[in-house]
Amino acid sequence: MPDAVRTAAVRAVLIMSLTIIQAMIAFLSTLTGSWLAFPMVLSSVASTVVATWSVLDVWVTRQVWNQRNGVVSVPSSSARQIRRERRRSRLAERAAERDGTGGGIGGRRNTGDLSRA
């Protein structure tokens, strides 16, 4: 996750948690009949609007980052697929070189032919 998106997400989580705490205080103070109930209900409504805005900010920040910086690398990315294909072709070339040269242990398969000569 890019830094700008992470910052917006952290900010949204903090605002949402404060909004939930405010709503709980408003609910409990309403149950007890406290004078604090009405101001807390009003501030909870305002905080809900701000929390909704902050969640939208995360979404907008993510969209803007994707547009400016391109595709985020994910496991199904085409770049990784190309790397995988290159790696497979290199391994296949190395295996073909080993089989085609006849050197090393692989070339000593027919040692019985040498004893007949």
Side-chain angles (χ1 to χ4, degrees):
M1 185 182 303
D3 286 339
V5 180
R6 183 180 297 120
T7 303
V10 168
R11 185 172 46 240
V13 166
L14 290 174
I15 291 172
M16 285 174 36
S17 64
L18 289 175
T19 301
I20 291 171
I21 290 170
Q22 267 187 326
M24 193 59 139
I25 291 172
F27 175 71
L28 293 175
S29 61
T30 302
L31 285 179
T32 59
S34 174
W35 63 272
L36 191 60
F38 184 68
M40 286 304 292
V41 168
L42 289 179
S43 67
S44 292
V45 170
S47 292
T48 302
V49 172
V50 172
T52 305
W53 187 264
S54 67
V55 170
L56 284 175
D57 179 47
V58 173
W59 182 71
V60 169
T61 305
R62 184 173 181 267
Q63 295 299 323
V64 168
W65 194 91
N66 282 339
Q67 282 184 350
R68 288 182 182 167
N69 300 307
V71 178
V72 177
S73 180
V74 293
S76 63
S77 174
S78 59
R80 290 187 186 207
Q81 184 178 0
I82 291 171
R83 264 190 276 146
R84 249 185 247 122
E85 290 173 1
R86 284 184 191 158
R87 191 178 315 125
R88 286 180 189 149
S89 67
R90 276 193 308 240
L91 289 174
E93 287 175 9
R94 288 179 190 160
E97 287 177 7
R98 279 185 301 220
D99 292 340
T101 58
I105 297 174
R108 298 184 186 180
R109 290 185 186 147
N110 298 326
T111 56
D113 294 339
L114 293 177
S115 62
R116 287 186 213 157

